[in-house]
Amino acid sequence: MKKYFLILFLSISFFASAQKSLNDYQIVIVPVKFEFFNEENKYRLNTITKHNLNKMGFQAFYENENLPQDASNDRCSRLYVNVENAGGFLATKLIIVFKDCDNKVVFTSEPGKSRNKEYKIAYPEALNDAFLILNNYGYKYNGTKVTSQSVSNVTQTLQTPKSSPQIDENKDYLFAQPIANGYQLVDKTPKVVLKIYKTSQPDYFTAQSETINGAVIKKNGEWILEYYKDDKPVSEKLLIKF
């Protein structure tokens, strides 16, 4: 039973990610107050969020603003952004979360960090750092018209996901879930253990985690993670389910 629910969860996560991306949306709604604060625009985080979104190429509006007349009246044509506190003992960490009109996550950024001990400096620094990383994904609106009907169709499809291939529970598989320009590799927990990014070669990815900067390369039909540890080359075989 546990195996069935794991496969079901990963199938739904993979399918949902494949259906929608940031590039499908042009308009983003920014709240005037983030959930982890009790006051509006604390440390100017909401202003910073709107500014950076507009800088990326989105059309960002506060939730209490009137949208332009040429904007769609369908709320499902918009993204809804939130900033969440990712915790951290030695550093302030913030992540940027984009959701659709059904409150389903479309994209979550990597955490932005600041080690400044003053909150009024640390929070803006961490948020700007998160946007700096997000900018590397290369957002560009693709002209897709997301509507209530298209979102409904996705939800209906997710209720009957396609079956996944059989998985040997005795092996440490990593499941590839699409992110911007690559995949995040998730273990059986599920926990993200590595993120890999596309290059010009289909069998070569750059690889990043909190402790690793390296590459994932396909050799003789097997995926190999290569990186340096203590100035010594390390090579590990990965079992990846795309």
Side-chain angles (χ1 to χ4, degrees):
M1 182 62 71
K2 290 183 179 178
K3 176 179 177 181
Y4 170 80
F5 281 115
L6 173 62
I7 294 174
L8 179 62
F9 169 80
L10 293 171
S11 299
I12 291 174
S13 298
F14 183 96
F15 190 85
S17 298
Q19 285 297 310
K20 290 180 289 186
S21 74
L22 293 184
N23 294 337
D24 294 334
Y25 295 87
Q26 187 174 31
I27 295 176
V28 184
I29 305 302
V30 182
V32 295
K33 177 176 71 70
F34 292 125
E35 295 176 359
F36 59 97
F37 285 129
N38 293 322
E39 62 182 81
E40 294 184 2
N41 204 22
K42 182 75 169 179
Y43 302 127
R44 300 186 66 253
L45 295 188
N46 304 75
T47 300
I48 293 170
T49 298
K50 183 181 179 183
H51 170 76
N52 277 287
L53 289 170
N54 284 324
K55 188 176 179 181
M56 286 178 63
F58 286 105
Q59 293 181 18
F61 300 91
Y62 290 124
E63 59 186 354
N64 57 2
E65 278 189 281
N66 292 323
L67 296 180
Q69 291 184 353
D70 59 346
S72 171
N73 290 324
D74 191 336
R75 62 184 300 272
C76 287
S77 67
R78 312 163 199 161
L79 270 179
Y80 300 83
V81 69
N82 191 32
V83 172
E84 297 181 2
N85 192 339
F89 178 68
L90 298 176
T92 298
K93 297 182 181 180
L94 298 178
I95 59 174
I96 307 162
V97 180
F98 296 86
K99 295 183 179 181
D100 65 15
C101 60
D102 284 336
N103 206 37
K104 292 183 173 62
V105 175
V106 174
F107 187 86
T108 300
S109 77
E110 294 186 47
K113 304 176 184 178
S114 172
R115 297 188 181 276
N116 199 295
K117 295 182 180 180
E118 293 188 50
Y119 286 153
K120 65 180 180 181
I121 298 175
Y123 278 105
E125 276 189 355
L127 183 54
N128 279 318
D129 185 51
F131 271 108
L132 184 63
I133 300 170
L134 187 60
N135 280 329
N136 293 331
Y137 293 149
Y139 163 78
K140 185 176 182 181
Y141 179 52
N142 58 22
T144 297
K145 300 297 183 182
V146 180
T147 64
S148 298
Q149 183 61 40
S150 63
V151 171
S152 176
N153 290 340
V154 170
T155 303
Q156 180 65 27
T157 305
L158 291 178
Q159 291 173 354
T160 54
K162 296 180 180 179
S163 60
S164 297
Q166 292 297 313
I167 297 170
D168 187 345
E169 290 185 332
N170 295 319
K171 295 183 179 180
D172 295 325
Y173 282 96
L174 296 176
F175 302 87
Q177 298 177 347
I179 58 174
N181 297 327
Y183 301 89
Q184 59 182 15
L185 304 183
V186 180
D187 64 16
K188 295 178 182 179
T189 312
K191 173 186 176 184
V192 177
V193 297
L194 191 68
K195 292 186 178 182
I196 59 176
Y197 298 94
K198 297 176 183 178
T199 68
S200 59
Q201 302 299 318
D203 293 340
Y204 183 98
F205 295 85
T206 59
Q208 292 183 353
S209 72
E210 291 186 357
T211 58
I212 292 174
N213 281 298
V216 171
I217 308 167
K218 196 170 189 179
K219 296 182 179 180
N220 299 321
E222 296 180 333
W223 290 104
I224 307 297
L225 170 63
E226 297 183 347
Y227 62 98
Y228 279 87
K229 183 177 182 180
D230 299 327
D231 295 325
K232 296 180 180 179
V234 177
S235 182
E236 298 179 6
K237 177 181 174 181
L238 300 181
L239 297 175
I240 304 176
K241 286 290 186 181
F242 286 95

